[in-house]
Amino acid sequence: MSTFKYNDTEFAVTAAGQGWDITRTLPDGSAALVGTGLFAGMGPAEAQIRALALVKAIYPVGIKVVGPDVAHPNMIGDLRIVGPDVTHPNFIYWDKDSASCPAQL
Amino acid sequence: MEIKGSVVLVTGGGNGIGEAVAKYFAKQGASIAIVDMEQKNINRVVADLKAMGAEAIGVRANVTSEAETARFVQATLAAFGKLNITVACAGIIRDGTMLTLDKETGKVSRKMGLDKWAPVIDVNLTGTFLTLRDAAEAMVNGGWPGLLVTISSVNKCGQVGQLNYSATKVADALMPKIIIGEFMLRGIRNIRCVGIAPGYTATPLLTGMNQDALQAILKDVHLGRLVEPEEIARTIGHCAENEAINATTIEVTGGLCYAGGIAK
Ligand SMILES: NC(=O)c1ccc[n+]([C@@H]2O[C@H](COP(=O)([O-])OP(=O)(O)OC[C@H]3O[C@@H](n4cnc5c(N)ncnc54)[C@H](O)[C@@H]3O)[C@@H](O)[C@H]2O)c1
């Protein structure tokens, strides 16, 4: 088994049959499966590289800027307020900064 | 297309029909990418797929966002190196009539707001479009045999109280014809597109509803019971294997016959 830290989350890559399982540690300390039976036939080093690439694709780090959302104006009386629609599912906000800079991976 | 060894992406795969589709294809030897908004359900389904000995990943994503549909297709390629079948199962309902009248005055007391209209259009229509568009992009560029599946509903014929939902499901039913017409125009030959229109299906949404209401629904179903999610999954499996099924939407309803021919 090998582990790596990405965006303050601990991931483990564990051999499972012919392939590899990737798990991540949840805030409560329990583990959740990210993927199972992946990268069949690959050695540990190659599997770890592929696992990191996959984890980066699944859990991207970044800031999303949501511009004026003309399709979903917020109405206040007859006033149409065209701005970020905080109730729209595309609107993501961060209420907590990452506790540390992610290690160089 | 042979299912064994293929890669299947299922949005809404954390529950109901999507979960059944994921498990059906896993049983047939496909690798599975589950996409859903609910991380708990993703964790559960990926763990089940592991117990079945399948290859699988779970991606939490919202199908209404372009950035996220691109991300889950990219994650699927990072895990499995190709993509063959994409089933756009993510869907929601927000029922209500367009107008509600005050019983005493007979005047309009309430209108269906965009809070009920927009999310249904966003998930069921825009989400299906973005999912299929980005999956098709990967399939064209990768040159793999592909199948795109929209999930319509028998309510495509028009369901009272579901102006929003029925509008999306009639569009989802139409998409395969247009997409394949466009593929012909562009010389894209490796991808087929099929829609599935389930009838009343035994997902938690329906099995948990008022049992009297459920019995009233079943009066219109020739089979006399709800369709099982696995029966929807098997139909999609058949569509994958039978190349002649293309550019059409198939109803799987158990013989839903509304009295008088229209939805109530
Ligand atoms: N159950 C039925 O009787 C029935 C009948 C006809 C059509 N359908 C259609 O089948 C599909 C699946 O329905 P179901 O009954 O399994 O529903 P369900 O609620 O059990 O599952 C839908 C899944 O989609 C996910 N989802 C919702 N919004 C999402 C989003 N924005 N991004 C990603 N995932 C999202 C949910 O988290 C959920 O896991 C829907 O499109 C529905 O309209 C269902």
Side-chain angles (χ1 to χ4, degrees):
Chain A
M1 183 186 84
S2 64
T3 60
F4 60 88
K5 205 164 178 171
Y6 165 71
N7 193 28
D8 290 339
T9 305
E10 187 92 17
F11 293 88
V13 184
T14 319
Q18 297 260 301
W20 299 86
D21 283 359
I22 307 172
T23 49
R24 74 191 168 104
T25 307
L26 301 177
D28 67 4
S30 63
L33 263 179
V34 174
T36 181
L38 306 172
F39 320 131
M42 284 184 196
E46 205 182 346
Q48 163 121 7
I49 292 167
R50 291 283 302 270
L52 177 57
L54 176 59
V55 159
K56 282 183 169 178
I58 294 180
Y59 308 102
V61 183
I63 305 252
K64 191 163 174 184
V65 178
V66 177
D69 182 0
V70 288
H72 306 94
N74 295 311
M75 302 300 290
I76 300 178
D78 354 329
L79 258 187
R80 291 162 67 89
I81 312 286
V82 176
D85 176 359
V86 293
T87 62
H88 192 271
N90 276 11
F91 187 83
I92 297 173
Y93 69 93
W94 274 256
D95 59 356
K96 179 162 77 69
D97 273 348
S98 171
S100 70
C101 291
Q104 290 285 310
L105 290 163
Chain B
M1 184 194 306
E2 195 171 344
I3 295 175
K4 192 172 166 40
S6 65
V7 174
V8 182
L9 186 158
V10 189
T11 70
N15 205 30
I17 295 175
E19 177 178 348
V21 169
K23 289 180 175 172
Y24 173 82
F25 278 100
K27 244 183 248 161
Q28 310 297 314
S31 303
I32 312 292
I34 296 284
V35 175
D36 207 288
M37 289 274 280
E38 294 294 335
Q39 186 67 58
K40 246 202 244 153
N41 288 350
I42 294 173
N43 295 349
R44 178 178 55 76
V45 176
V46 175
D48 288 353
L49 292 172
K50 176 180 165 61
M52 292 166 62
E55 294 177 22
I57 58 166
V59 185
R60 181 173 183 274
N62 185 338
V63 296
T64 68
S65 154
E66 269 189 308
E68 306 220 345
T69 52
R71 176 166 64 82
F72 63 66
V73 170
Q74 196 195 337
T76 306
L77 299 183
F80 306 117
K82 64 172 182 173
L83 174 60
N84 300 108
I85 298 170
T86 296
V87 187
C89 255
I92 59 169
I93 50 174
R94 297 279 185 280
D95 294 352
T97 51
M98 186 174 77
L99 297 179
T100 306
L101 302 190
D102 184 287
K103 277 191 189 123
E104 276 166 27
T105 65
K107 305 276 187 217
V108 174
S109 60
R110 198 157 21 94
K111 299 188 279 188
M112 179 187 277
L114 283 180
D115 59 329
K116 277 198 172 171
W117 177 265
V120 176
I121 305 295
D122 287 347
V123 177
N124 300 6
L125 184 53
T126 308
T128 298
F129 160 68
L130 292 176
T131 300
L132 299 193
R133 184 197 66 181
D134 289 357
E137 179 188 26
M139 290 168 182
V140 168
N141 291 342
W144 311 295
L147 174 67
L148 306 172
V149 182
T150 68
I151 301 295
S152 174
S153 161
V154 75
N155 291 356
K156 66 181 164 45
C157 70
Q159 175 81 30
V160 169
Q162 290 195 329
L163 182 57
N164 47 6
Y165 182 81
S166 294
T168 65
K169 292 302 176 180
V170 72
D172 288 336
L174 191 58
M175 276 187 190
K177 200 134 261 160
I178 301 171
I179 288 173
I180 294 303
E182 291 187 3
F183 284 178
M184 283 186 72
L185 190 73
R186 300 290 181 203
I188 298 167
R189 295 281 172 191
N190 58 320
I191 309 169
R192 289 181 292 124
C193 185
V194 173
I196 302 294
Y200 297 110
T201 306
T203 63
L205 192 77
L206 278 194
T207 49
M209 76 188 276
N210 176 302
Q211 290 306 300
D212 292 340
L214 191 60
Q215 286 312 315
I217 282 175
L218 290 178
K219 280 205 181 96
D220 291 329
V221 179
H222 182 240
L223 201 57
R225 63 163 174 83
L226 295 172
V227 175
E228 290 299 324
E230 293 71 25
E231 290 170 321
I232 305 294
R234 279 215 306 275
T235 309
I236 299 174
H238 178 69
C239 291
E241 287 170 333
N242 187 338
E243 276 188 359
I245 304 175
N246 198 5
T248 189
T249 291
I250 299 170
E251 292 188 3
V252 185
T253 69
L256 178 62
C257 300
Y258 286 122
I262 56 154
K264 282 170 269 182

